[in-house]
Each structure stands twice: as structure tokens, then as C-alpha cells.
Amino acid sequence: MKWLRFENVSVRYHYDEFYALADLSFEVNEGETVSVMLGAQGGKTTAAKLIMGLLKPTCGKITADGAPLEETPPKARKIAYFCFPPLAFKTTVGKNVSRVLRLNGFGKTASLDGEGLLKLSLARAWAKKAEFFIVDGPTNEIFVDKITALAAELGASTLLLCDSPASARGRILDFLPKFNLTEEFDEPI
């Protein structure tokens, strides 16, 4: 998967009266870095789940490489997913990486700090030759720079699902809620 388009995508979980995502439209072109700012509880992980095939939209359309996303099986999408803090399977570093590389012989992931876990995530992305990077809720700007550098090296497209502009890179799409804090009220609050 090299490029992606969301067209009026909405998601409402069966247990909730509110939409986790509402009428979201954007595009990530091949090799491009795009930051979609959704804010806290704005649907960042929900958007990531849609792309990875863990969830289907309530309405709207998602296309990848010109075809409906659901036509490409999740394992064939060549996606690297990064969240904060970075994740590791509860096994050795070698087995984590060997899920793609089939290597062995590294230490336990439980002893890795955030930087070590990021390196492990980068190794998994590199090993699978990921074509599309999803960065879910980036909070560490140094980590974001390392992830986007690897994506550029691989020629991968990158989608950063952000809370704020501080961690945004590339083309920035602002879907943050707009508040008018200077609005006057008729009655005291």
C-alpha cells in the first residue's frame, strides 16, 4: 500500500452514542508525509485501526492504491504501526524482529527503555520493507524524526495522527475542534 484516501469516513462504535470519527476526508500520496491533527480523543487510534483492517467504517469510503481498502488483506498492506510508548511483543528482541527477519539471539524486551523499543519498532518496519507508516499519537519529537527518516529511506508514505502541531511533519491537515474563547456570554458561567 503506497497511498491512501479517506472520503467522508465516520465511525461510531456500537456501545457509544457519539462518533469516534465524523466525516473525515484526507489523502496521503505515495512517498508523502502527512500529519492529521485530530486532538485528544479525536479518533487517532480509530483511524489507525481502519487502515490496518481491524475496524470497518460506519460510513464513507477508504481507498488504497486506487482500490477499496478492504480488497487488500491486512497482511498484504505492508504497514508499519508506531504508537507511544512503542510496543513490543512479550518475548525476546530476536523473536520480535524474527517475526519478519527470522533472527534469534537478542535480549529480553522487558529490559528495553523507550528508545530501545523504538529501535525495535524501526527494525520491524525495516525488515518488512513497510510501504506505509502510521504514527499514532506521537509525543516525542526525536522519535518522530527517526520514524520519518526511516520512512523516507524506504520511500514509504507516512501518516502522523497528531494531537498538536509540535509533533506534526510534512503536510499538516488541521481537524482540531475550533473554540472561540473570546466569545461573550449573556449570562455568567
Side-chain angles (χ1 to χ4, degrees), residues 90-180:
K90 295 204 183 273
T91 185
T92 64
V93 171
K95 286 182 181 177
N96 261 274
V97 176
S98 72
R99 291 180 190 276
V100 180
L101 290 177
R102 308 252 191 281
L103 295 175
N104 290 303
F106 295 90
K108 294 277 185 188
T109 59
S111 64
L112 295 176
D113 60 7
E115 179 80 17
L117 290 170
L118 175 68
K119 288 177 181 177
L120 178 62
S121 297
L122 290 169
R124 286 194 304 248
W126 177 82
K128 73 189 314 187
K129 305 233 181 307
E131 296 175 346
F132 197 93
F133 283 37
I134 302 169
V135 186
D136 185 2
T139 55
N140 184 315
E141 293 177 44
I142 295 169
F143 286 10
V144 170
D145 290 338
K146 290 179 180 187
I147 293 166
T148 55
L150 178 62
E153 181 181 320
L154 294 174
S157 306
T158 305
L159 174 63
L160 290 104
L161 300 164
C162 302
D163 281 338
S164 71
S167 54
R169 303 289 185 276
R171 184 164 52 97
I172 299 171
L173 304 174
D174 184 354
F175 294 100
L176 293 171
K178 306 296 183 240
F179 298 104
N180 182 355

